[in-house]
Amino acid sequence: MYWKRFSTCPICGKVLDGITLDYSWQWPCSKCAKDKTDVLHCERGTKVKAIDLDAGFKYDSEQAHKFLTNGQIYEVDELNVGGWISHICLKEFPGRKFNTIHFIRFE
């Protein structure tokens, strides 16, 4: 049986839509996060900007250059915050995971 775990912001109580946390139950939402550019605090529907496509592991960089455009704005579909690496899925590329290192939040 599959159980989906819903996390909520410990500050305002908002459900973190589209976010899975591998190692934490406490995670601030995008509005309560101190760093408003941090891509790790993006719920579904948040806009992100692609930057530094050369960063990350070789595979990450190759995939980023294949699909993303530096400076382009994309919409978050899902975000997985892991222990040492996190991935982001974008609405524009269903089912494809990108390393979060290539993005910043865009207001």
Side-chain angles (χ1 to χ4, degrees):
M1 185 177 261
Y2 176 74
W3 295 91
K4 185 165 182 163
R5 180 175 75 176
F6 292 100
S7 296
T8 57
C9 175
I11 299 165
C12 71
K14 176 184 176 186
V15 172
L16 302 177
D17 184 27
I19 296 179
T20 55
L21 306 170
D22 288 351
Y23 299 103
S24 176
W25 289 90
Q26 299 286 316
W27 201 256
C29 70
S30 58
K31 290 185 180 180
C32 295
K34 290 179 181 167
D35 182 356
K36 302 297 184 201
T37 65
D38 189 354
V39 73
L40 296 180
H41 298 281
C42 290
E43 293 90 41
R44 181 175 284 123
T46 303
K47 302 293 184 184
V48 294
K49 183 178 184 177
I51 61 163
D52 197 7
L53 302 183
D54 294 323
F57 296 109
K58 182 179 178 183
Y59 172 79
D60 295 329
S61 179
E62 288 171 353
Q63 178 174 254
H65 280 283
K66 183 175 180 180
F67 293 98
L68 303 173
T69 302
N70 202 40
Q72 180 70 35
I73 309 302
Y74 300 97
E75 185 176 334
V76 174
D77 188 40
E78 294 181 29
L79 177 69
N80 172 256
V81 180
W84 62 277
I85 191 168
S86 298
H87 292 97
I88 192 167
C89 295
L90 304 171
K91 183 179 177 184
E92 293 82 358
F93 305 102
R96 187 160 302 278
K97 294 179 183 180
F98 296 94
N99 190 325
T100 56
I101 199 165
H102 302 299
F103 302 93
I104 59 171
R105 275 178 48 193
F106 184 79
E107 297 291 327

